[in-house]
Coordinates of all heavy atoms in Angstrom, one line a residue:
M225 N 122.8 96.4 81.8 CA 122.5 96.8 83.1 C 121.5 98.0 83.1 O 120.6 98.0 83.9 CB 123.8 97.3 83.8 CG 123.7 97.3 85.3 SD 123.5 95.7 86.0 CE 123.9 95.9 87.6
A226 N 121.6 98.9 82.2 CA 120.6 100.0 82.1 C 119.2 99.5 81.9 O 118.3 100.1 82.3 CB 121.0 100.9 81.0
C227 N 119.1 98.3 81.2 CA 117.8 97.8 80.9 C 117.1 97.4 82.2 O 115.9 97.6 82.3 CB 118.0 96.5 80.1 SG 116.4 95.8 79.5
S228 N 117.8 96.9 83.2 CA 117.2 96.5 84.4 C 116.7 97.7 85.2 O 115.6 97.6 85.8 CB 118.1 95.6 85.3 OG 119.2 96.4 85.7
S229 N 117.4 98.8 85.2 CA 116.9 100.0 85.9 C 115.7 100.6 85.2 O 114.7 101.0 85.9 CB 118.0 101.0 86.0 OG 118.4 101.5 84.8
S230 N 115.6 100.6 83.9 CA 114.4 101.0 83.2 C 113.2 100.1 83.5 O 112.1 100.5 83.6 CB 114.6 101.2 81.7 OG 114.9 100.0 81.1
N231 N 113.5 98.8 83.6 CA 112.5 97.8 83.9 C 111.9 98.1 85.3 O 110.7 98.0 85.5 CB 113.1 96.4 83.9 CG 112.1 95.3 84.0 OD1 110.9 95.6 83.9 ND2 112.5 94.1 84.1
E232 N 112.8 98.5 86.3 CA 112.3 98.8 87.6 C 111.4 100.0 87.5 O 110.4 100.1 88.3 CB 113.5 99.1 88.5 CG 114.3 97.9 89.0 CD 113.6 97.1 90.0 OE1 113.1 97.6 91.0 OE2 113.5 95.9 89.8
D233 N 111.7 101.0 86.7 CA 110.9 102.2 86.6 C 109.5 101.9 86.0 O 108.6 102.7 86.1 CB 111.6 103.2 85.7 CG 112.9 103.7 86.4 OD1 113.0 103.6 87.6 OD2 113.7 104.3 85.7
Q234 N 109.4 100.8 85.3 CA 108.1 100.4 84.6 C 107.1 100.0 85.6 O 105.9 100.1 85.3 CB 108.4 99.3 83.6 CG 107.2 98.8 82.9 CD 107.5 97.6 81.9 OE1 108.6 97.4 81.6 NE2 106.4 97.0 81.5
F235 N 107.5 99.6 86.8 CA 106.5 99.1 87.8 C 106.4 99.9 89.0 O 107.4 100.4 89.5 CB 107.0 97.6 88.2 CG 107.0 96.7 87.0 CD1 108.2 96.4 86.3 CD2 105.8 96.2 86.5 CE1 108.2 95.6 85.2 CE2 105.8 95.3 85.4 CZ 107.0 95.0 84.8
E236 N 105.2 100.0 89.5 CA 105.0 100.7 90.8 C 104.6 99.7 91.8 O 103.6 99.0 91.6 CB 103.8 101.7 90.6 CG 103.5 102.5 91.8 CD 102.3 103.5 91.6 OE1 102.3 104.1 90.5 OE2 101.5 103.5 92.5
Y237 N 105.4 99.6 92.8 CA 105.2 98.5 93.8 C 104.4 99.1 95.0 O 104.8 100.1 95.6 CB 106.6 98.0 94.3 CG 107.3 97.3 93.2 CD1 108.1 98.0 92.3 CD2 107.2 95.9 93.0 CE1 108.8 97.3 91.3 CE2 107.9 95.3 92.0 CZ 108.7 96.0 91.2 OH 109.3 95.3 90.1
Q238 N 103.3 98.5 95.3 CA 102.5 98.9 96.4 C 102.4 97.7 97.3 O 103.0 96.6 97.1 CB 101.1 99.2 95.9 CG 101.1 100.4 94.9 CD 99.8 100.7 94.2 OE1 98.8 100.0 94.5 NE2 99.8 101.7 93.4
E239 N 101.8 97.9 98.5 CA 101.8 96.8 99.5 C 101.3 95.5 99.0 O 102.0 94.4 99.2 CB 101.0 97.2 100.7 CG 101.3 96.3 101.9 CD 100.6 96.8 103.2 OE1 100.5 98.1 103.4 OE2 100.2 96.0 104.0
E240 N 100.2 95.4 98.3 CA 99.6 94.2 97.9 C 99.4 94.0 96.4 O 98.8 93.1 96.0 CB 98.3 93.9 98.6 CG 98.5 93.8 100.1 CD 97.3 93.2 100.8 OE1 96.3 92.7 100.2 OE2 97.2 93.3 102.1
K241 N 100.0 94.9 95.6 CA 99.9 94.8 94.2 C 101.1 95.5 93.5 O 101.7 96.4 94.1 CB 98.6 95.3 93.6 CG 98.3 96.8 93.8 CD 97.0 97.1 93.2 CE 96.7 98.6 93.5 NZ 95.4 99.0 93.0
V242 N 101.3 95.2 92.3 CA 102.3 95.8 91.4 C 101.6 96.3 90.2 O 100.8 95.6 89.6 CB 103.4 94.8 91.0 CG1 104.4 95.5 90.1 CG2 104.1 94.3 92.2
L243 N 101.8 97.6 89.9 CA 101.2 98.2 88.7 C 102.2 98.3 87.6 O 103.3 98.9 87.8 CB 100.6 99.6 89.1 CG 100.0 100.4 87.9 CD1 98.8 99.7 87.3 CD2 99.6 101.8 88.4
D244 N 101.9 97.8 86.4 CA 102.7 98.0 85.2 C 102.3 99.3 84.6 O 101.2 99.5 84.1 CB 102.5 96.9 84.3 CG 103.4 97.0 83.0 OD1 103.8 98.1 82.7 OD2 103.7 95.9 82.4
K245 N 103.2 100.4 84.7 CA 102.8 101.7 84.3 C 102.7 101.8 82.8 O 102.0 102.7 82.3 CB 103.8 102.7 84.8 CG 103.7 102.9 86.3 CD 104.6 104.0 86.8 CE 106.0 103.5 87.2 NZ 106.8 104.5 87.9
E246 N 103.3 100.9 82.0 CA 103.2 100.9 80.6 C 101.9 100.3 80.1 O 101.2 100.8 79.2 CB 104.4 100.2 80.0 CG 105.7 101.0 80.1 CD 106.9 100.4 79.4 OE1 106.7 99.4 78.6 OE2 108.0 100.8 79.7
S247 N 101.5 99.1 80.6 CA 100.4 98.4 80.1 C 99.1 98.6 80.9 O 98.0 98.4 80.5 CB 100.6 96.9 80.1 OG 100.7 96.4 81.4
G248 N 99.3 99.1 82.2 CA 98.1 99.3 83.1 C 97.7 98.0 83.8 O 96.8 98.0 84.6
D249 N 98.5 96.9 83.6 CA 98.2 95.6 84.3 C 98.5 95.7 85.7 O 99.4 96.4 86.1 CB 99.0 94.5 83.7 CG 98.6 94.1 82.2 OD1 97.5 94.5 81.8 OD2 99.4 93.4 81.6
E250 N 97.7 95.1 86.6 CA 97.9 95.0 88.0 C 98.2 93.6 88.4 O 97.4 92.7 88.0 CB 96.7 95.5 88.8 CG 96.5 97.0 88.7 CD 95.4 97.5 89.6 OE1 94.8 96.7 90.3 OE2 95.1 98.7 89.6
Y251 N 99.2 93.3 89.1 CA 99.6 92.0 89.6 C 99.4 91.9 91.1 O 99.8 92.8 91.8 CB 101.1 91.7 89.3 CG 101.5 91.8 87.9 CD1 101.7 93.0 87.2 CD2 101.7 90.6 87.2 CE1 102.1 93.0 85.9 CE2 102.1 90.6 85.9 CZ 102.3 91.8 85.2 OH 102.7 91.8 83.9
S252 N 98.7 90.8 91.5 CA 98.5 90.6 93.0 C 98.8 89.1 93.2 O 98.7 88.3 92.4 CB 97.1 91.0 93.4 OG 96.2 90.2 92.8
M253 N 99.2 88.8 94.5 CA 99.5 87.5 94.9 C 98.5 87.0 95.8 O 98.4 87.4 96.9 CB 100.9 87.4 95.5 CG 101.4 86.1 95.7 SD 103.2 86.2 96.1 CE 103.7 84.5 95.8
E254 N 97.7 86.0 95.3 CA 96.6 85.5 96.1 C 96.8 84.0 96.4 O 96.1 83.4 97.2 CB 95.2 85.7 95.4 CG 94.9 87.1 95.3 CD 93.8 87.4 94.3 OE1 92.9 86.5 94.1 OE2 93.7 88.5 93.9
K255 N 97.8 83.4 95.7 CA 98.2 82.0 96.0 C 99.7 81.9 95.9 O 100.3 82.7 95.2 CB 97.6 81.1 94.9 CG 96.1 81.0 94.8 CD 95.7 80.0 93.7 CE 94.3 80.2 93.2 NZ 94.1 79.4 92.0
F256 N 100.3 80.9 96.5 CA 101.7 80.6 96.4 C 102.0 80.3 95.0 O 101.3 79.6 94.3 CB 102.1 79.5 97.3 CG 102.1 79.8 98.8 CD1 101.1 79.5 99.6 CD2 103.2 80.6 99.3 CE1 101.0 79.8 100.9 CE2 103.2 80.9 100.7 CZ 102.1 80.5 101.5
D257 N 103.2 80.8 94.5 CA 103.7 80.5 93.2 C 102.9 81.1 92.0 O 103.2 80.8 90.9 CB 103.9 79.0 93.0 CG 104.8 78.4 94.0 OD1 105.8 79.1 94.4 OD2 104.6 77.2 94.4
T258 N 101.9 81.9 92.3 CA 101.0 82.3 91.2 C 100.6 83.8 91.5 O 100.4 84.2 92.6 CB 99.7 81.5 91.2 OG1 100.0 80.1 91.2 CG2 98.8 81.8 90.0
L259 N 100.6 84.6 90.4 CA 100.2 85.9 90.4 C 98.9 86.1 89.7 O 98.7 85.4 88.6 CB 101.2 86.9 89.8 CG 102.5 87.0 90.6 CD1 103.5 87.7 89.7 CD2 102.3 87.7 91.9
T260 N 97.9 86.9 90.1 CA 96.7 87.2 89.4 C 97.0 88.5 88.7 O 97.4 89.5 89.3 CB 95.5 87.3 90.3 OG1 95.3 86.1 91.0 CG2 94.3 87.7 89.5
V261 N 96.8 88.5 87.4 CA 97.0 89.7 86.6 C 95.7 90.2 86.1 O 94.9 89.5 85.5 CB 97.9 89.4 85.3 CG1 98.2 90.7 84.6 CG2 99.2 88.7 85.7
V262 N 95.4 91.5 86.5 CA 94.1 92.1 86.0 C 94.6 93.1 84.9 O 95.3 94.1 85.2 CB 93.4 92.9 87.1 CG1 92.1 93.5 86.6 CG2 93.0 91.9 88.2
H263 N 94.1 92.8 83.7 CA 94.5 93.7 82.5 C 93.6 94.9 82.5 O 92.5 95.0 83.1 CB 94.3 92.9 81.2 CG 95.2 91.7 81.2 ND1 96.5 91.8 81.0 CD2 94.9 90.4 81.3 CE1 97.0 90.5 81.0 NE2 96.1 89.7 81.2
I264 N 94.0 95.9 81.8 CA 93.3 97.2 81.7 C 91.9 97.1 81.2 O 91.0 97.8 81.6 CB 94.1 98.2 80.9 CG1 93.7 99.6 81.2 CG2 94.1 97.9 79.4 CD1 94.6 100.7 80.9
D265 N 91.6 96.0 80.4 CA 90.3 95.8 79.9 C 89.4 95.1 80.9 O 88.2 94.7 80.6 CB 90.3 95.1 78.5 CG 90.9 93.7 78.6 OD1 91.2 93.2 79.7 OD2 91.0 93.0 77.6
G266 N 89.9 94.7 82.1 CA 89.1 94.1 83.1 C 89.3 92.6 83.1 O 88.9 91.9 84.1
T267 N 89.8 92.0 82.1 CA 90.1 90.5 82.1 C 91.2 90.2 83.0 O 92.0 91.0 83.3 CB 90.4 90.0 80.7 OG1 91.6 90.6 80.2 CG2 89.3 90.3 79.7
Q268 N 91.1 89.0 83.5 CA 92.2 88.6 84.4 C 92.7 87.2 84.1 O 91.9 86.4 83.5 CB 91.8 88.7 85.9 CG 90.7 87.8 86.4 CD 90.4 88.1 87.9 OE1 90.4 89.3 88.3 NE2 90.2 87.1 88.7
E269 N 93.9 86.9 84.5 CA 94.5 85.6 84.3 C 95.5 85.3 85.5 O 95.9 86.2 86.2 CB 95.2 85.5 83.0 CG 96.4 86.4 82.9 CD 97.1 86.3 81.5 OE1 97.3 85.2 81.1 OE2 97.5 87.4 81.0
E270 N 95.8 84.0 85.6 CA 96.8 83.7 86.6 C 98.1 83.3 85.8 O 98.0 82.6 84.8 CB 96.3 82.5 87.5 CG 95.3 82.9 88.5 CD 94.9 81.8 89.5 OE1 95.5 80.7 89.4 OE2 94.2 82.1 90.4
I271 N 99.2 83.7 86.3 CA 100.5 83.4 85.7 C 101.4 82.9 86.8 O 101.2 83.2 88.0 CB 101.2 84.6 85.0 CG1 101.5 85.7 85.9 CG2 100.3 85.0 83.8 CD1 102.4 86.8 85.3
L272 N 102.4 82.1 86.5 CA 103.4 81.7 87.4 C 104.3 82.9 87.8 O 104.5 83.8 87.0 CB 104.3 80.6 86.8 CG 103.6 79.3 86.5 CD1 104.6 78.3 85.8 CD2 103.1 78.6 87.8
V273 N 104.7 82.9 89.1 CA 105.5 84.0 89.6 C 106.7 84.3 88.7 O 106.9 85.4 88.3 CB 105.9 83.7 91.0 CG1 107.0 84.7 91.5 CG2 104.7 83.7 92.0
E274 N 107.3 83.2 88.3 CA 108.5 83.4 87.4 C 108.3 83.9 86.0 O 109.2 84.3 85.3 CB 109.4 82.2 87.4 CG 108.7 80.9 87.0 CD 108.2 80.1 88.2 OE1 108.1 80.6 89.3 OE2 107.8 79.0 87.9
D275 N 107.0 84.0 85.6 CA 106.7 84.5 84.3 C 106.4 86.0 84.4 O 106.2 86.7 83.3 CB 105.4 83.8 83.7 CG 105.8 82.4 83.3 OD1 106.9 82.1 83.2 OD2 104.8 81.6 83.2
A276 N 106.3 86.6 85.6 CA 106.1 88.1 85.7 C 107.3 88.8 85.1 O 108.4 88.4 85.3 CB 105.8 88.4 87.1
L277 N 107.0 89.9 84.5 CA 108.1 90.7 83.9 C 109.1 91.3 84.9 O 110.2 91.5 84.7 CB 107.5 91.9 83.1 CG 106.7 91.6 81.9 CD1 106.0 92.8 81.3 CD2 107.5 90.9 80.9
F278 N 108.6 91.5 86.2 CA 109.5 92.0 87.2 C 110.2 90.9 88.0 O 110.9 91.2 89.0 CB 108.7 92.9 88.2 CG 107.4 92.3 88.7 CD1 107.5 91.5 89.9 CD2 106.2 92.6 88.1 CE1 106.3 90.9 90.4 CE2 105.0 92.0 88.7 CZ 105.1 91.2 89.8
Y279 N 109.9 89.6 87.7 CA 110.5 88.5 88.4 C 112.1 88.6 88.3 O 112.6 88.9 87.3 CB 110.1 87.2 87.9 CG 110.7 86.0 88.6 CD1 110.2 85.6 89.8 CD2 111.7 85.3 88.0 CE1 110.7 84.5 90.5 CE2 112.3 84.2 88.7 CZ 111.7 83.8 89.9 OH 112.3 82.7 90.6
G280 N 112.7 88.5 89.5 CA 114.2 88.5 89.5 C 114.7 89.9 89.8 O 115.9 90.0 90.2
S281 N 113.9 90.9 89.7 CA 114.4 92.3 90.1 C 114.4 92.4 91.6 O 113.7 91.6 92.3 CB 113.5 93.4 89.5 OG 112.2 93.4 90.1
E282 N 115.1 93.3 92.1 CA 115.2 93.5 93.6 C 113.8 93.8 94.2 O 113.4 93.1 95.2 CB 116.2 94.6 93.9 CG 116.4 94.8 95.4 CD 117.4 95.9 95.7 OE1 118.2 96.2 94.8 OE2 117.4 96.4 96.8
K283 N 113.1 94.8 93.6 CA 111.8 95.1 94.2 C 110.8 94.0 93.9 O 109.9 93.8 94.8 CB 111.3 96.4 93.6 CG 112.1 97.6 94.1 CD 111.6 98.9 93.4 CE 112.3 100.1 93.9 NZ 111.8 101.3 93.3
G284 N 110.9 93.3 92.8 CA 110.0 92.2 92.5 C 110.2 91.1 93.5 O 109.2 90.5 94.0
T285 N 111.4 90.8 93.8 CA 111.7 89.7 94.8 C 111.1 90.1 96.2 O 110.5 89.3 96.8 CB 113.2 89.5 94.9 OG1 113.7 89.1 93.6 CG2 113.6 88.4 95.9
K286 N 111.3 91.4 96.6 CA 110.7 91.8 97.9 C 109.2 91.7 97.8 O 108.6 91.2 98.8 CB 111.1 93.3 98.1 CG 112.5 93.5 98.6 CD 112.8 94.9 98.9 CE 114.2 95.1 99.3 NZ 114.5 96.6 99.5
F287 N 108.6 92.1 96.7 CA 107.1 91.9 96.6 C 106.7 90.5 96.8 O 105.7 90.2 97.5 CB 106.6 92.5 95.3 CG 105.2 92.3 95.0 CD1 104.2 93.1 95.7 CD2 104.7 91.3 94.2 CE1 102.8 92.9 95.4 CE2 103.4 91.1 93.9 CZ 102.5 91.9 94.6
I288 N 107.3 89.6 96.1 CA 107.0 88.2 96.1 C 107.2 87.6 97.5 O 106.3 86.9 98.0 CB 107.8 87.4 95.0 CG1 107.3 87.8 93.6 CG2 107.6 85.9 95.2 CD1 108.2 87.5 92.5
K289 N 108.3 87.9 98.1 CA 108.6 87.4 99.5 C 107.5 88.0 100.5 O 107.1 87.2 101.4 CB 110.0 87.8 99.9 CG 111.1 87.0 99.2 CD 112.4 87.2 99.9 CE 113.5 86.5 99.2 NZ 113.4 85.1 99.1
S290 N 107.2 89.2 100.3 CA 106.2 89.8 101.2 C 104.8 89.1 101.0 O 104.1 88.8 102.0 CB 106.0 91.3 100.9 OG 105.0 91.9 101.6
G291 N 104.5 88.8 99.7 CA 103.2 88.1 99.4 C 103.2 86.7 100.0 O 102.2 86.3 100.6
E292 N 104.3 86.0 99.9 CA 104.4 84.7 100.5 C 104.3 84.7 102.0 O 103.6 83.9 102.6 CB 105.7 84.0 100.0 CG 105.8 83.7 98.6 CD 107.1 83.2 98.1 OE1 108.1 83.4 98.8 OE2 107.2 82.6 97.0
S293 N 104.9 85.7 102.6 CA 104.8 85.8 104.1 C 103.4 86.1 104.5 O 102.9 85.5 105.4 CB 105.7 87.0 104.5 OG 105.6 87.2 105.9
R294 N 102.7 87.0 103.8 CA 101.3 87.3 104.1 C 100.4 86.1 103.9 O 99.6 85.8 104.8 CB 100.8 88.5 103.1 CG 99.4 88.9 103.4 CD 99.0 90.1 102.5 NE 99.5 90.0 101.1 CZ 98.8 89.2 100.2 NH1 97.7 88.5 100.5 NH2 99.3 89.2 98.9
L295 N 100.6 85.3 102.8 CA 99.8 84.1 102.6 C 100.1 83.1 103.7 O 99.1 82.4 104.1 CB 100.1 83.5 101.2 CG 99.6 84.3 100.0 CD1 100.2 83.8 98.7 CD2 98.1 84.3 100.0
E296 N 101.3 83.0 104.1 CA 101.6 82.0 105.2 C 100.9 82.4 106.5 O 100.4 81.5 107.2 CB 103.2 82.0 105.4 CG 103.6 80.9 106.3 CD 103.4 79.5 105.7 OE1 103.6 79.3 104.5 OE2 102.9 78.6 106.5
K297 N 100.9 83.7 106.8 CA 100.2 84.2 108.0 C 98.7 83.9 107.9 O 98.1 83.5 108.9 CB 100.4 85.7 108.2 CG 101.8 86.0 108.7 CD 102.0 87.5 108.9 CE 103.5 87.8 109.2 NZ 103.7 89.2 109.1
E298 N 98.1 84.2 106.8 CA 96.7 83.9 106.6 C 96.3 82.4 106.7 O 95.3 82.1 107.2 CB 96.2 84.5 105.2 CG 96.2 86.0 105.1 CD 96.0 86.5 103.7 OE1 95.7 85.7 102.8 OE2 96.0 87.7 103.5
K299 N 97.3 81.6 106.2 CA 97.0 80.2 106.3 C 97.0 79.7 107.7 O 96.3 78.7 108.0 CB 98.2 79.5 105.5 CG 98.0 78.0 105.2 CD 99.2 77.6 104.3 CE 99.6 76.2 104.6 NZ 100.8 75.8 103.8
K300 N 97.7 80.3 108.6 CA 97.8 79.9 110.0 C 96.6 80.3 110.8 O 96.4 79.8 111.9 CB 99.1 80.4 110.6 CG 100.3 79.7 110.1 CD 101.6 80.2 110.7 CE 102.8 79.5 110.2 NZ 104.0 80.0 110.7
L301 N 95.9 81.3 110.3 CA 94.7 81.8 111.1 C 93.5 80.8 111.1 O 93.3 80.1 110.2 CB 94.2 83.2 110.5 CG 95.2 84.3 110.7 CD1 94.6 85.6 110.0 CD2 95.5 84.6 112.1

């Protein structure tokens, strides 16, 4: 259980991105089921939502649901 709380501390959740304070990676959600990861060296890749280190955590779930909601609203415009 202590592991999950330290895992929560590793990430800084912002409105449209998550910052991994240990690696410097930034995660953003620009497509359903996919996160874009920008690494500290500037390279980027897409990963499945469930492959994110914060997937399944309370704050991670809120971030993903918020991103999906935002994408749904943009799709309707």
Side-chain angles (χ1 to χ4, degrees):
M225 198 68 163
C227 187
S228 66
S229 64
S230 64
N231 189 11
E232 285 285 310
D233 294 340
Q234 179 181 345
F235 300 98
E236 180 181 318
Y237 295 86
Q238 300 171 0
E239 191 172 328
E240 293 193 13
K241 67 181 175 182
V242 176
L243 175 64
D244 182 332
K245 292 187 264 186
E246 288 183 11
S247 69
D249 292 345
E250 286 186 3
Y251 298 80
S252 61
M253 190 169 199
E254 297 168 21
K255 297 182 201 171
F256 288 100
D257 302 325
T258 309
L259 294 169
T260 300
V261 184
V262 179
H263 300 286
I264 197 158
D265 64 3
T267 60
Q268 67 180 42
E269 64 177 317
E270 289 189 354
I271 64 168
L272 294 174
V273 169
E274 52 268 12
D275 290 340
L277 295 173
F278 53 83
Y279 181 77
S281 70
E282 185 179 337
K283 290 180 180 178
T285 300
K286 284 182 182 177
F287 173 77
I288 292 163
K289 287 190 184 302
S290 173
E292 288 173 343
S293 176
R294 182 178 43 80
L295 288 168
E296 192 64 43
K297 286 178 187 170
E298 290 173 2
K299 190 174 147 183
K300 291 180 180 178
L301 293 179

